[in-house]
Amino acid sequence: MEPNKLLMIVNLTAGRSKPRGPLFDAAAILSQAGYLLSIHNTAFPGDATATAAAAGDYGVVVAVGGDGTLNQVAAGLLTLERPPLLGYLPQGSTNDFAASLRIPGEPAAAAAQLAKAAPRRLDTGLWNRRRFLYVASFGAFTRSSYTASQAAKNALGHLAYVLEGMKDLNSLRPYKIRLTADGEVLDGEYLFGAICNSTSIGGLMKLDPQGVVLDDGMFELLLVPSPKTPLGLQNLVLSLLDQQYDREGLVFRHVSSLHLETEEDLPWSLDGEYAPSSPTVDIENCRQSLAMLL
């Protein structure tokens, strides 16, 4: 591994019709900071993961794209015995994790911050045998993160997720699950669930930054129960908007691992990437398993 060698893995389809000039500015800033740059443009699904998994001789690998691109690059790095440092130049439509990490959305500003950043070890997650970086979610509106087309996301940005999520309103229904989290059993019907290490979920749901620690070996678990009446649904929405997670039957916990069982068809989203339904899911926090330049 050569510390000054930097690989940029770029998803050119991410982001809403953004000009490419700022990416050249970002590359110039990193070059002036002393890095020897290589640039790889992704060409097919899974390319970012495969490229990162083969980047063991680089000191830094920078994901350039949305949260999905970041997820794929991190997944590739985590297959290595000694992974390079991870960097991120957010170019997606929502960039939840970048918001949690306070990474600027403008490429040159993000590159300037990265050039003087220090490594920080962050927790990652293991969903069965699949890696995720900051959130695994199921239920209401989860599908909008991976079914909104790239063209719609490029044209409409965050609004594309909202519009896609509205298609789920007529089919909004509870999912019956049995979940064991750090020894506590939660057996019930829920509209939505998230296991996350971020202050923002889908750009819609916010968690208090004071309550989210990214390297403590704990996830934040949020379960949204199925309301019994229209008024209950209204109060539930207000509680979520006000970040009042101790009201209206909401379940909010800090957990290190969990086991979920269900007989439902329950697809998942991992950092915005699709994961198929499984009758049992085990999720584990892998504490401080990845070093990122922040």
Side-chain angles (χ1 to χ4, degrees), residues 126-137:
L126 195 60
W127 182 94
N128 288 345
R129 295 187 176 183
R130 185 167 163 180
R131 291 284 190 172
F132 68 94
L133 193 55
Y134 76 94
V135 63
S137 63

Side-chain angles (χ1 to χ4, degrees), residues 173-228:
R173 66 178 183 87
Y175 295 87
K176 184 171 179 55
I177 65 169
R178 179 179 174 86
L179 187 151
T180 304
D182 288 353
E184 179 184 8
V185 177
L186 299 164
D187 193 345
E189 295 186 338
Y190 299 96
L191 295 177
F192 173 82
I195 301 91
C196 59
N197 198 35
S198 171
T199 61
S200 177
I201 306 170
L204 294 172
M205 197 173 297
K206 304 293 184 181
L207 299 179
D208 183 355
Q210 300 299 318
V212 178
V213 182
L214 303 180
D215 59 357
D216 63 349
M218 305 292 281
F219 287 126
E220 282 62 55
L221 166 65
L222 176 64
L223 296 174
V224 178
S226 176
K228 305 303 182 185

Side-chain angles (χ1 to χ4, degrees), residues 92-108:
S93 303
T94 302
N95 302 320
D96 279 328
F97 202 49
S100 293
L101 300 172
R102 298 180 181 176
I103 298 175
E106 201 280 320

Side-chain angles (χ1 to χ4, degrees), residues 56-80:
D57 59 336
Y58 286 88
V60 180
V61 174
V62 178
V64 184
D67 287 344
T69 304
L70 180 65
N71 167 278
Q72 293 175 41
V73 171
L77 293 180
L78 287 166
T79 66
L80 299 171

